[in-house]
Amino acid sequence: MNKPGTQKAITKFLLHLHPPKVNAQSIKYTRTFGLGGIAALLFVLLFITGMLLRFVYVPSEKGAYDSILYLQQEVIFGQLLRNMHYWCGMLLVIVSFLHVIRVFYSQSIFNERRKNWLYGLLIMFLVIMSNFTGYLLPWDQLAYWAVTIMTNMLSYIPLIGDPLANLVRGGAEVNEGTLLRFYHFHTGLLPLLMVFLMSIHFWLVRKAKGVTVADSSKKEMVPTTPQLVYKEIVVALSLILILILFSMLIDAPLLEKANPLESPNPSKAPWYFMGFQELLLHMHPSFGIFIVPVIVTAFLIYIPFVKDLQVNVGVWFNTSVGKKVTIWSAIYSTVFTMLIIVSTEYLLKFQSWMPDAPVLITTGLLPLLLYVLPTFGFILMMKKHLKAGKLELIIGLVSILLTGYLVMTVVGSLMRGEGMHLFA
Amino acid sequence: MDIIKKITRRSFIKKAIITLVSLELVYVFVNLLKKGGETKVSSNLFAAGDIDLFEKGRVYPFSTERFYLSRLDDGGFLAISTKCTHLGCTVQFKNSDNKFLCPCHASAFNKHGEVLAPPATSALDLYNITIENGEIFVDTATPVKRAKYNSSQITYA
Ligand code: FES
């Protein structure tokens, strides 16, 4: 093999990321949908655009909003730059979320990939934190009130809530100090942490011998360059092209300058937190913001450690039963969640029916049971009628939770208008 | 007890050191974050004006100071914070409905700051009022939290 120097160098460099040969099945696009790679690419794009934005942005109460205006109106391609950064950031949240879903449904979180599932969840958390800290920086009404609402949600965590919220904000209200620390989290600490964790994440994928394949008995290998690398380049270039076109057409939102004296109606958290805000409308805050999320997170962490599972690593939905379970769970969750939302909005008013009972029970425990009991019944039914095993049921439960959150997000961000009334 | 057997002296010391160092880092970092917010003053008296300026049964906005001065029908005063107890939006007093309305998620409060409509669960915060020589001073530095309204919260001249 006598390759020209540059190509050799490129090949050698790529070998840091990829093995010299990969399983032919693993580079089919439908195996991973390239989600992990796309997320990594978005991170790089965000890094570059973010670096450029730093030259203009002024992280102060007086300067922040004006510097954004200056960027958009005076700087050549300034608006485009901000749009790129904004849309990349939003897309990163979506893509990382899809990536988490993909590895879960294709059974790629068990055995030697266990640890990587945990790192993945951690990175997902950091992605959301990065997006959220960036949300405040334009210092417009949208940013100010979204962050006010979100940090006040924190203060409902029992015992440590108030100190925690004050710690995050650096005071009782969102102010210049908050802006400054969000800026430093957003442009310093979080990206740094993410680079570390991503390196570990990639390395663990390689250690687990690449992505999972549906049929591990087929061992046909193909060379990484050009087979895989070309595909990656095509995906990367098309993505960049689409992002640029999108950013040229659609501007990142910017409202009037932040005004602490006047909240817009309605005020909403960033869209990926709208599920929580929706939950808060139906449930006591210490349940909605603390108990439920903690239980769900603990469950997600625990999944790969459950004993005696019949895992078919790499097979979508584990078995054909698993597929059915997923579909039924998604349907059930969509219908049932919608039903609960509408009925708690108009019919079920536990609080006014039992004004003397403690609010923790009337607005916390009762709604929770109202959701959990029928869901439990539904899972038992699936077990009986579809003959679903333990793992299939876990898949079902995760599908119910995911769909439930999605439904709440959609309802909260799209179907609620003035005063947060449904269909207003 | 598998776990206990696995811990040797060497690994114990190693783990102890790692734990201590990380705790130390966390402690330092948390303190760093705390420091930034410590511009608190213990009291900040705002002179709202003479008692006679305020009619009974009306509510007066002091929007830059973020409170409403509510003079009740019996002549007592309440300085009510504009910060909604649900998620912190700024409430507004609607004279036509005679109540405080929150634009964000539609909580409503009466002239005493009591909850009329959820999602808020507790009454609006108060600021302490002192009355000297017929002039009203409101301490805007520290909002006082309360779950419910009771008559001891009212200040009389
Ligand atoms: S912040 Fe006032 S109702 Fe939600």
Side-chain angles (χ1 to χ4, degrees), chain A residues 149, chain B residues 84-89 91 102-107 119-120:
Chain A
I149 287 184
Chain B
C84 178
T85 53
H86 177 228
L87 290 174
C89 288
V91 297
C102 179
C104 294
H105 319 107
S107 288

Side-chain angles (χ1 to χ4, degrees), chain A residues 55-365:
Chain A
F55 283 102
V56 179
Y57 183 72
V58 183
S60 74
E61 202 175 335
K62 286 214 182 67
Y65 186 75
D66 292 339
S67 68
I68 301 280
L69 284 186
Y70 171 77
L71 172 79
Q72 294 189 353
Q73 288 158 8
E74 313 282 327
V75 180
I76 185 164
F77 293 137
Q79 174 87 56
L80 184 68
L81 186 64
R82 172 160 183 251
N83 292 352
M84 269 292 270
H85 194 73
Y86 185 88
W87 294 121
C88 282
M90 291 303 166
L91 192 60
L92 182 59
V93 174
I94 299 176
V95 168
S96 328
F97 181 68
L98 290 177
H99 181 56
V100 172
I101 295 182
R102 197 282 295 174
V103 291
F104 174 75
Y105 282 121
S106 66
Q107 311 299 306
S108 311
I109 61 172
F110 297 98
N111 308 329
E112 72 273 28
R113 290 186 178 79
R114 244 180 231 162
K115 232 197 216 159
N116 222 3
W117 168 246
L118 302 185
Y119 278 109
L121 288 179
L122 194 59
I123 295 175
M124 180 79 226
F125 175 73
L126 290 182
V127 164
I128 292 182
M129 281 305 109
S130 303
N131 193 305
F132 178 63
T133 46
Y135 212 89
L136 180 66
L137 303 185
W139 203 249
D140 61 345
Q141 282 287 69
L142 191 69
Y144 184 88
W145 291 104
V147 173
T148 300
I149 287 184
M150 191 50 216
T151 48
N152 274 312
M153 280 190 198
L154 283 182
S155 63
Y156 280 113
I157 297 174
L159 301 180
I160 56 162
D162 267 321
L164 184 68
N166 288 344
L167 195 69
V168 169
R169 283 187 298 246
E173 241 126 68
V174 176
N175 54 25
E176 180 154 44
T178 321
L179 180 63
L180 199 60
R181 69 180 44 179
F182 271 41
Y183 175 71
H184 287 303
F185 272 119
H186 186 76
T187 59
L189 198 59
L190 289 174
L192 188 69
L193 272 179
M194 273 160 80
V195 170
F196 267 118
L197 288 173
M198 274 160 63
S199 322
I200 300 176
H201 199 61
F202 295 161
W203 176 66
L204 283 176
V205 174
R206 271 203 72 173
K207 227 178 114 188
K209 304 225 165 46
V211 300
T212 52
V213 290
D215 184 351
S216 46
S217 60
K218 283 195 211 133
K219 293 217 161 57
E220 189 206 338
M221 301 294 257
V222 292
T224 303
T225 24
Q227 307 282 48
L228 173 59
V229 173
Y230 274 20
K231 283 191 181 182
E232 286 179 333
I233 290 176
V234 170
V235 171
L237 290 182
S238 1
L239 184 77
I240 294 176
L241 190 68
I242 293 172
L243 270 169
I244 291 182
L245 282 177
F246 193 82
S247 306
M248 276 157 62
L249 294 174
I250 303 178
D251 284 349
L254 187 73
L255 303 183
E256 315 86 79
K257 189 170 177 169
N259 176 6
L261 303 182
E262 198 189 315
S263 338
N265 183 359
S267 286
K268 293 184 174 182
W271 59 267
Y272 40 85
F273 285 135
M274 274 318 288
F276 276 122
Q277 208 183 324
E278 181 66 35
L279 195 62
L280 275 180
L281 289 180
H282 304 280
M283 227 181 211
H284 190 278
S286 46
F287 273 80
I289 202 65
F290 184 65
I291 298 180
V292 174
V294 164
I295 292 177
V296 171
T297 314
F299 172 62
L300 287 180
I301 290 176
Y302 181 61
I303 292 173
F305 299 94
V306 179
K307 296 246 165 62
D308 314 318
L309 291 182
Q310 303 278 321
V311 191
N312 290 322
V313 171
V315 181
W316 282 97
F317 308 109
N318 205 39
T319 52
S320 60
V321 177
K323 209 178 207 164
K324 268 189 223 148
V325 168
T326 310
I327 295 173
W328 278 113
S329 307
I331 296 175
Y332 160 81
S333 183
T334 315
V335 174
F336 187 59
T337 312
M338 264 323 268
L339 208 71
I340 293 263
I341 290 177
V342 174
S343 59
T344 45
E345 181 93 5
Y346 297 113
L347 297 173
L348 304 169
K349 303 273 180 215
F350 293 115
Q351 212 180 343
S352 39
W353 293 344
M354 300 177 260
D356 298 327
V359 278
L360 264 182
I361 292 184
T362 51
T363 64
L365 209 55

Side-chain angles (χ1 to χ4, degrees), chain B residues 67-123:
Chain B
F67 72 86
Y68 278 91
L69 192 63
S70 170
R71 181 151 204 199
L72 306 172
D73 295 325
D74 62 356
F77 287 99
L78 283 173
I80 298 175
S81 158
T82 57
K83 185 177 168 190
C84 178
T85 53
H86 177 228
L87 290 174
C89 288
T90 302
V91 297
Q92 233 126 32
F93 188 76
K94 284 268 166 343
N95 275 315
S96 49
D97 304 333
N98 220 354
K99 57 186 174 189
F100 294 97
L101 288 178
C102 179
C104 294
H105 319 107
S107 288
F109 309 85
N110 68 10
K111 275 191 205 168
H112 299 99
E114 284 174 289
V115 181
L116 292 176
T121 50
S122 55

